[in-house]
Amino acid sequence: MWNQLARKAVEYEPCADRSEDLLTIDGLRIDVSTPEGKVTVVDGVSWSAEQGKITALVGESGCGKSVTALAVMKLLRSSGRISKGEIRFAGQDLLKLGEEEMRRLRGRHIGMVFQEPMTSLNPVLSIETQITETLTEHLRMSRGEARERALELMNEVGIPDAERRLSQYPHQLSGGMRQRVMIAIALACNPKLIIADEPTTALDVTIQAQILSLLADLAVRHNIAMVVITHNMGVVARYADYVSVMYAGKIVESGPASEVFSRPSHPYTALLLKAVPRLDQPRQERMLSIGGMPPAPGAMPSGCRFAPRCPVRMAVCGEREPLLEPSRTQALSACHRRDEPLDGLQSAPASPRSPADKVPGAEEVLEVRDIAKHFDLPAGGIVRAVDGVSFRIERQRTLGLIGVSGCGKSTVGRMLLGLETPTSGSLRLFGEEMDVSKPSALRKARRDMQVIFQDPFSSLNPRMTVGAIIAEPLLVHGIVRRSQARDRVAQLLERVGLRPEVATRHAHQLSGGQRQRVGIARALTLNPKLLICDEPVSALDISVQGQIITLLEDLQDELGLSCLFIAHDLAVVRHISDEVAIMYFGRIVEKAPRDLLYANPLHPYTRALLDAAPTPDPVLERSRDHIPLKGELPSPITVPKGCPFHSRCPLASRECQLAVPPLREVEGGHQVACIKV
């Protein structure tokens, strides 16, 4: 279908060679039954995937990406139904196949890599059993033949010590290894098509680079058609050959990745790219964001679905829906202004920040000295989750804490909040020692220190209304009377950009961005001086991410707040932080003022993180000499002796195995824990 539309335009010749389309989706419509009635979640979608190439499907949460992928596999829930369109695989219409015929295709000719391998792998079956069952079922291999093939697959996807790993279970593997096992299962029967749904979302950026490099290599080596579903525009820029951008159940732009990124012909694509914070460009005073929210599936606007949020909309945009047609570029665009350049398009006005009257840094808010948290294992041994971390935060300053999942950064935040008791070390809040083991001291400290969690949906009580959630700390601490709580809640909602009527709703009735704003409003109820932000935007779409970061900056300026900003996104941390600390297995390995660290990273791990972070520019990405960091993250139970990074470090020597290097200052507040620097 993509080819047929492309050939309508004479200038579309560079893409006319896409004659090897293995998968073609044409006019797909998917309806879902809800308590409110039937709603359309995918509406007239058409795209295709070519053998030996990577096709990316991008867009905000709820736009229909994953539902489309499940439709290809015929794995829609019982409430979902394909009401229109075709899905053709190798010339065969999948929608006409029965369940038994489809079972023979799944795993054999079509493989799928799901977002979270820990929930996709069976926890009670060994890795060997989970790989070989596909081989014995589809290829009728003997047990010995299947095991031999499983070993071959484990080696191919880069799992070391494959013989031993086969007998292990999913919980005994790292996140990167589990994802590699999922890829091995998908590859087992030499499929022609692999669909990867957010395959690297939960992974460290260095492991993410390894996995994506592996998928790209496999697509070329085995001539596999690869479909990658993601919201990470940098990933698309680095690896995708073609990209289709979805919005509110429709494709709004589709074409070669290099063309879509360099000359977007739809305002939504252009704004998505502008909203991505980039490490290769100077830090912006304000993060750009797309105003408004996507429409609900059952309440689509007339005309163009993006028109209510579009800064260049015309009268016709609200009257007539644009068709997906060739634009001025080598891409298809569903926009009435598809032939106009969008170079000067701006999302939200970048108003200058207005700092509070007091000079930042004039007063110390928090000092952490050699804090540690060790967990005893039932079978013996110790996990050193945090092992001697020190830092300080001054008034109206933000410390960004970066690290992989499991490095101890969230445990640091939990100890500050008194949710974990430190094994050793000390905490000082406003110059006074804070004993988190004493309830009275903790209660006093929590009035000055609040938290914003990563997942607002799981941190908000589903049985309470938004108003009750925000009013609770006000009533518990006796700040207002119950009769006054309603007005105070309305003020807080307005401060975070929500209407007062939101107070009557429950968490499930709000979008992800709205829920996070409620979490921020609740954190502000007690007028805190310090905010612990634990991955506050990692679960949000790019378009919403900018809104939340801007809100936090405004509140910091208005209220003189200090922040500990815990995250794994280096570009976001660069934007919001004044100082940055890099954690690796319970220790800070590098700490410096923001601009100094990003301009001159000293620790090999910091350099690897910055090199692995993709940017939304295909030309730049494919001209860079990427050297993926080798090796897996060590187990927290058996951390290597000496420097914990030496097992993966390209500069490591025998000396690195002897002792843990201390964090020492090199220049101008720049500290590093590495004997090679």
Side-chain angles (χ1 to χ4, degrees), residues 184-300:
I185 294 172
L187 284 172
C189 299
N190 296 316
K192 299 175 182 178
L193 170 68
I194 290 181
I195 300 173
D197 188 1
E198 297 279 10
T200 60
T201 298
L203 301 180
D204 164 34
V205 67
T206 59
I207 303 298
Q208 170 182 287
Q210 293 178 20
I211 296 295
L212 292 167
S213 180
L214 171 65
L215 288 173
D217 179 60
L218 292 171
V220 175
R221 256 191 309 131
H222 295 285
N223 199 31
I224 296 172
M226 193 81 67
V227 177
V228 176
I229 298 170
T230 182
H231 66 271
N232 190 324
M233 303 299 279
V235 166
V236 176
R238 183 177 293 184
Y239 298 102
D241 299 289
Y242 304 99
V243 58
S244 291
V245 182
M246 288 191 72
Y247 181 80
K250 283 185 170 289
I251 300 288
V252 296
E253 186 163 2
S254 183
S258 57
E259 192 69 17
V260 170
F261 277 72
S262 62
R263 294 194 298 166
S265 55
H266 195 283
Y268 177 62
T269 308
L271 292 176
L272 272 184
L273 293 172
K274 286 180 177 291
V276 179
R278 296 176 57 151
L279 289 173
D280 63 315
Q281 294 180 353
R283 175 182 174 271
Q284 298 171 329
E285 185 67 21
R286 286 286 196 187
M287 277 186 71
L288 299 178
S289 60
I290 307 175
M293 298 295 297
M300 294 296 176

Side-chain angles (χ1 to χ4, degrees), residues 374-386:
H374 301 165
F375 295 95
D376 295 323
L377 299 175
I382 296 176
V383 172
R384 300 177 184 273
V386 178

Side-chain angles (χ1 to χ4, degrees), residues 573-593:
V573 169
R574 178 193 182 193
H575 180 88
I576 198 170
S577 302
D578 300 292
E579 190 177 27
V580 179
I582 308 293
M583 281 193 73
Y584 189 80
F585 271 83
R587 291 178 174 270
I588 291 178
V589 297
E590 186 164 6
K591 180 158 66 74

Side-chain angles (χ1 to χ4, degrees), residues 30 41-42 45 57 60-69 246 248-249:
I30 301 174
V41 294
V42 173
V45 162
L57 203 58
E60 295 172 278
S61 298
C63 70
K65 308 184 301 292
S66 295
V67 175
T68 303
M246 288 191 72

